[in-house]
Amino acid sequence: MSLNLSAAQTIVSAALADARARGAKPLAVIVLDAGGHPVAFAREDGATMFRHDIARAKAVGALGMGDDTRVIAERAKGNPAFFQSVTAVVGGQIAFSPGGVLIRDGGSVIGAVGISGDTGDCDEECALAGIRTAGFNVENAK
């Protein structure tokens, strides 16, 4: 299955609804397909200027490294030289903070969500809420 616009918009809307229910700071949310192409994006009123860039770096990092950014950040702690090299190779387009979550359909990765604006933990929980609401698998997350 591929990620279509309707599913991506559901992820964005549900993630933002979850953020509002949590009282989160204003967020930026982006949904990328498996090839890293943007499918849907929103930036809430009041979200700061770099939030879109950070959200995209989280989603791209998850896709490029094949895991959620929470896992990647933990791996980076144990091998900083390698992850500094990765950062240089990808021109800085990776963020080592929770909030980049792969979207899976069964066992296949079909895209990623990146969220930035609150704590990494909150960003990640909002991403998971969006993915769940759209009916995708989150069992491998976290």
Side-chain angles (χ1 to χ4, degrees):
M1 177 179 180
S2 63
L3 183 65
N4 63 34
L5 177 61
S6 177
Q9 289 174 324
T10 297
I11 292 168
V12 170
S13 295
L16 292 176
D18 189 70
R20 291 308 101 236
R22 292 171 181 277
K25 294 177 183 173
L27 301 180
V29 180
I30 191 166
V31 178
L32 306 178
D33 67 16
H37 304 101
V39 181
F41 170 77
R43 185 189 68 73
E44 289 185 299
D45 295 343
T48 57
M49 188 166 101
F50 294 139
R51 292 300 168 194
H52 166 73
D53 301 310
I54 297 166
R56 188 172 190 288
K58 288 181 180 185
V60 168
L63 282 172
M65 295 298 291
D67 222 331
D68 296 346
T69 54
R70 174 178 297 282
V71 174
I72 297 165
E74 283 301 314
R75 288 176 35 207
K77 289 178 186 176
N79 195 353
F82 172 75
F83 284 93
Q84 286 175 337
S85 297
V86 169
T87 301
V89 167
V90 301
Q93 294 185 54
I94 190 168
F96 301 107
S97 175
V101 180
L102 295 173
I103 304 167
R104 298 173 177 88
D105 184 33
S108 300
V109 173
I110 61 168
V113 180
I115 297 183
S116 179
D118 205 281
T119 65
D121 290 338
C122 181
D123 293 348
E124 180 182 62
E125 287 300 323
C126 293
L128 292 169
I131 293 167
R132 277 188 206 100
T133 299
F136 294 109
N137 178 10
V138 295
E139 69 186 41
N140 293 329
K142 284 189 167 184

